Amino acid sequence: MGNCCSDVGGGMTAIGGTAPSTSTSNQNDAADWYFKSHGIHGIFSQIELSFSATNLRDRDVFSKSDPMVVVYIQERDGAFTEVFRTEVVLNSLNPTWITKYTITYQFEIVQILLFRVFDVDTQFHNVEVKMLKLEEQQSLGEASCALSEIVSKPNRSLTLDLVQREESVPSTHSQHRGKFTVHAEECFSSKTTAEMTLKCLNLESKDLFSKSDPFLVISKVVESGMSIPVCKTEVSKNDLNPTWKPVFLNIQQVGSKDSPLVIECFNFNSNGKHDLIGKVQKSLADLEKLHTGREGENLFLPTPVGHDNQNKALRSKLFVEKYSETVQYTFLDYLAAGFELNFMVAIDFTASNGNPRLPDSLHYIDPSGRLNAYQKAIYEVGEVLQFYDADKRFPAWGFGARPIDGPVSHCFNLNGSSNYCEVEGIRGIMMAYTSALFNVSLAGPTLFGHVINRAAMIASQSLANDAKKYFVLLIITDGVITDLQETKDALVKASDLPLSILIVGVGGADFKEMEILDADKGERLESSTGRVASRDIVQFVPFRDVQNGPSVVQELLAELPSQFLAYMRSREIKPCS
């Protein structure tokens, strides 16, 4: 069983089942893991795009245009690569194309799409569309957008103006080219998830000096007859009558409710060679019947080929203590229902960054236009998140500096205002940051608690107003924080709010304490009063490798959709509510 655990830590963790938790309030760890690992959180969702247009130009003399759409995607180097062509719709200036383009939506990157509409000449109507030479067809216009612009629209439809290539800057004198509409649908045949609590009675002891340490592996049976593991429980130590924590199975993942599943019970061994205690083969429908009838199913052991009885029935029995089915909504479901991600940023202005007027400072503004690490972090994270914020007005703060004629502040408005903290767009953040460098004196120490509490206050006010908003605070810092416990207290309190915090470490400092704040590296945060965070809301990434490509930003943003979903599920907030 290569997919089973090979150590105690691994044995106590679920593949798609239940992970151990330091908090009784976090009973959905297993579901979080399942949805995260199978793309259901929105990071790698399959999206089907369909296209239509209105009021296209008529390029034919004796009939209307015969339009076709060609789709391109922008590569890392900025070049566009053709990825798809629709069919040709004959004699129409208001076409709706039937063929659809399927693309993998990735939340953490900006996916730029280009759509070009061509009028296919009559002489080419019998030629397969993929064989058509585009230079021989007449252009009816083009439009471009980010995929995130489409999926973040409440109805997942975006209408764009078609322009000619030479009309990159449309003028009041440009000719009307028509409208192009692209609509997105998430490709899911089922969002229904079965939750089950399984237990066994009278298991055989496989250990000499103690009872067995059993765990279950659930596998689906594919057409070839091979079993593919899809779910695993935790290990129940020294127990012959174990009841495991709930496991979650997406019905689409296993095929259907009638698809065969193999449930195997193993005795855990730290050397990775787990002993098979027994197994059963049942579908989800069968397991539901076991629960309804409160009946148990005997485990069996396969016997060597050639024996009359190939399955040896055992005294051990499997019971289904709980069985229920629920709809698990996806990240994109919430976006379609009008939920927003609101971007906020806090910038470290402590003296350890160095004099901003000197080239070796982390805050140095290069006259050549080359971005420093702070600017690069703001731009690259903001570039992704801006599409999910309707008004694109972003709260922006600084900390660790002394404003003109004032004491050191650990949360001041980046725009210099004493009344409001918002700026217009990513460009507004960049301008306010540059301006602040000439209007404050770098000081210290490095304190996070103030800005986290400020962001939490905004999130709390939004929650009280039942707004469909989830907040994302980006903190960019060069050093080690000096209010670690106060920061932990603020984060534990904020874990109950619609808020995630992204921390980017710039420069060459030792960021070990930052990793403590990120629950990926260990147990959940605990406050000074002993309260444990209700969920993980922090993602920390050092930005040292920022010159090597977009991987740092992708890593920083990767957990955000699953943190968003964890919050929505913990509050039982549905997209339609």
Side-chain angles (χ1 to χ4, degrees):
M1 291 298 298
N3 287 278
C4 291
C5 317
S6 58
D7 55 37
V8 174
M12 299 298 288
T13 305
I15 287 182
T18 305
S21 173
T22 57
S23 170
T24 56
S25 65
N26 187 45
Q27 297 176 355
N28 279 315
D29 280 355
D32 293 344
W33 196 99
Y34 169 75
F35 285 106
K36 183 176 176 181
S37 62
H38 289 79
I40 299 176
H41 47 61
I43 297 179
F44 293 107
S45 291
Q46 293 296 111
I47 302 295
E48 189 177 71
L49 300 180
S50 54
F51 314 104
S52 62
T54 56
N55 299 321
L56 293 179
R57 290 182 68 192
D58 192 354
R59 302 297 296 265
D60 293 346
V61 178
F62 300 108
S63 64
K64 296 184 175 67
S65 294
D66 304 313
M68 171 185 74
V69 180
V70 181
V71 182
Y72 303 78
I73 192 163
Q74 190 175 44
E75 306 291 351
R76 286 187 180 182
D77 61 1
F80 282 92
T81 300
E82 181 186 328
V83 292
F84 177 76
R85 296 183 182 187
T86 66
E87 80 279 14
V88 177
V89 176
L90 299 179
N91 199 31
S92 178
L93 301 183
N94 300 286
T96 297
W97 289 273
I98 301 300
T99 52
K100 297 171 174 56
Y101 172 53
T102 300
I103 182 173
T104 302
Y105 162 70
Q106 294 177 262
F107 166 80
E108 63 271 24
I109 65 174
V110 179
Q111 297 165 278
I112 301 295
L113 298 171
L114 173 65
F115 309 101
R116 288 180 175 153
V117 183
F118 292 90
D119 176 22
V120 177
D121 195 272
T122 306
Q123 62 179 308
F124 301 112
H125 284 181
N126 292 325
V127 179
E128 287 188 46
V129 291
K130 64 181 179 181
M131 303 300 294
L132 291 172
K133 295 180 180 179
L134 297 180
E135 62 270 18
E136 295 177 343
Q137 317 307 321
Q138 289 186 307
S139 172
L140 296 178
E142 65 181 47
S144 67
C145 68
L147 180 59
S148 48
E149 289 183 87
I150 306 169
V151 299
S152 59
K153 294 295 180 184
N155 59 0
R156 291 183 184 161
S157 290
L158 181 66
T159 298
L160 303 161
D161 290 319
L162 287 169
V163 298
Q164 287 299 109
R165 248 189 257 186
E166 60 271 17
E167 297 169 4
S168 56
V169 183
S171 69
T172 55
H173 302 292
S174 61
Q175 290 185 332
H176 182 73
R177 306 296 183 190
K179 302 281 188 180
F180 182 81
T181 298
V182 55
H183 178 73
E185 286 291 337
E186 196 170 5
C187 302
F188 273 108
S189 59
S190 172
K191 296 178 185 177
T192 304
T193 295
E195 177 185 348
M196 296 181 292
T197 300
L198 303 173
K199 79 171 185 179
C200 281
L201 293 180
N202 301 318
L203 291 179
E204 181 182 347
S205 182
K206 294 288 186 178
D207 295 333
L208 291 176
F209 303 107
S210 65
K211 298 175 183 176
S212 295
D213 303 322
F215 66 95
L216 298 178
V217 174
I218 302 176
S219 304
K220 66 178 180 180
V221 181
V222 296
E223 288 185 8
S224 65
M226 189 171 76
S227 298
I228 308 295
V230 293
C231 180
K232 178 161 54 179
T233 69
E234 79 281 5
V235 173
S236 184
K237 298 288 289 183
N238 198 33
D239 193 352
L240 299 182
N241 299 290
T243 298
W244 290 277
K245 293 179 182 179
V247 295
F248 299 78
L249 281 175
N250 179 267
I251 292 179
Q252 178 188 353
Q253 179 200 17
V254 300
S256 72
K257 283 191 69 172
D258 296 317
S259 299
L261 298 173
V262 175
I263 304 174
E264 297 169 294
C265 184
F266 288 91
N267 175 44
F268 176 82
N269 286 312
S270 58
N271 62 7
K273 297 179 180 179
H274 311 302
D275 307 308
L276 178 63
I277 298 175
K279 61 194 291 189
V280 295
Q281 180 166 315
K282 293 288 180 183
S283 66
L284 284 175
D286 295 332
L287 294 171
E288 184 178 21
K289 289 177 183 177
L290 287 180
H291 167 67
T292 303
R294 299 189 177 279
E295 299 174 348
E297 180 74 17
N298 288 92
L299 303 183
F300 66 84
L301 276 175
T303 56
V305 178
H307 287 62
D308 293 335
N309 181 14
Q310 293 194 3
N311 291 325
K312 176 186 175 183
L314 305 174
R315 285 192 315 120
S316 310
K317 284 191 173 184
L318 173 76
F319 291 83
V320 183
E321 288 282 278
K322 176 183 177 182
Y323 184 96
S324 63
E325 294 178 6
T326 57
V327 173
Q328 291 285 357
Y329 296 102
T330 70
F331 179 64
L332 295 180
D333 287 331
Y334 287 92
L335 294 184
F339 284 78
E340 295 182 32
L341 298 181
N342 292 150
F343 181 45
M344 304 184 281
V345 65
I347 299 172
D348 184 342
F349 284 88
T350 55
S352 55
N353 284 280
N355 187 340
R357 291 164 178 78
L358 300 178
D360 61 350
S361 170
L362 291 169
H363 281 309
Y364 180 67
I365 305 298
D366 195 325
S368 71
R370 181 179 179 182
L371 302 182
N372 65 34
Y374 282 91
Q375 291 172 309
K376 200 166 180 64
I378 293 168
Y379 178 76
E380 293 192 358
V381 175
E383 184 185 30
V384 173
L385 295 180
Q386 64 178 331
F387 295 111
Y388 304 93
D389 193 321
D391 65 8
K392 294 180 172 54
R393 294 182 60 85
F394 308 129
W397 304 290
F399 60 92
R402 182 179 291 105
I404 296 174
D405 300 326
V408 174
S409 174
H410 300 292
C411 185
F412 58 89
N413 295 334
L414 204 62
N415 58 16
S417 169
S418 57
N419 301 318
Y420 62 94
C421 61
E422 292 183 331
V423 298
E424 294 276 356
I426 304 304
R427 178 178 171 81
I429 300 177
M430 301 286 263
M431 292 174 63
Y433 163 67
T434 302
S435 177
L437 287 173
F438 294 98
N439 290 290
V440 301
S441 299
L442 305 194
T446 305
L447 307 180
F448 279 9
H450 294 72
V451 293
I452 292 173
N453 286 330
R454 183 75 178 275
M457 182 181 70
I458 293 175
S460 179
Q461 291 172 345
S462 174
L463 180 63
N465 294 327
D466 291 324
K468 292 183 173 182
K469 295 180 183 292
Y470 188 91
F471 296 85
V472 183
L473 171 63
L474 170 65
I475 301 176
I476 315 171
T477 183
D478 83 311
V480 178
I481 57 175
T482 53
D483 65 338
L484 181 60
Q485 189 56 58
E486 290 82 357
T487 297
K488 286 183 178 180
D489 290 346
L491 291 172
V492 170
K493 187 177 179 181
S495 67
D496 291 330
L497 296 171
L499 175 67
S500 284
I501 297 173
L502 311 174
I503 304 175
V504 172
V506 298
D510 183 352
F511 292 116
K512 286 183 180 178
E513 285 192 353
M514 298 297 179
E515 294 179 355
I516 295 173
L517 304 179
D518 189 337
D520 288 348
K521 309 299 190 292
E523 294 185 351
R524 296 222 177 141
L525 293 179
E526 186 174 326
S527 72
S528 54
T529 61
R531 183 187 170 200
V532 176
S534 59
R535 60 191 182 93
D536 173 25
I537 65 170
V538 176
Q539 180 72 0
F540 168 75
V541 173
F543 219 49
R544 296 185 181 107
D545 300 328
V546 70
Q547 303 300 333
N548 295 334
S551 58
V552 173
V553 171
Q554 291 178 32
E555 182 182 348
L556 184 70
L557 295 173
E559 288 190 15
L560 192 51
S562 54
Q563 288 181 359
F564 172 95
L565 280 180
Y567 174 79
M568 296 299 166
R569 286 201 294 270
S570 70
R571 290 259 174 172
E572 297 184 350
I573 299 173
K574 297 178 181 179
C576 54
S577 62

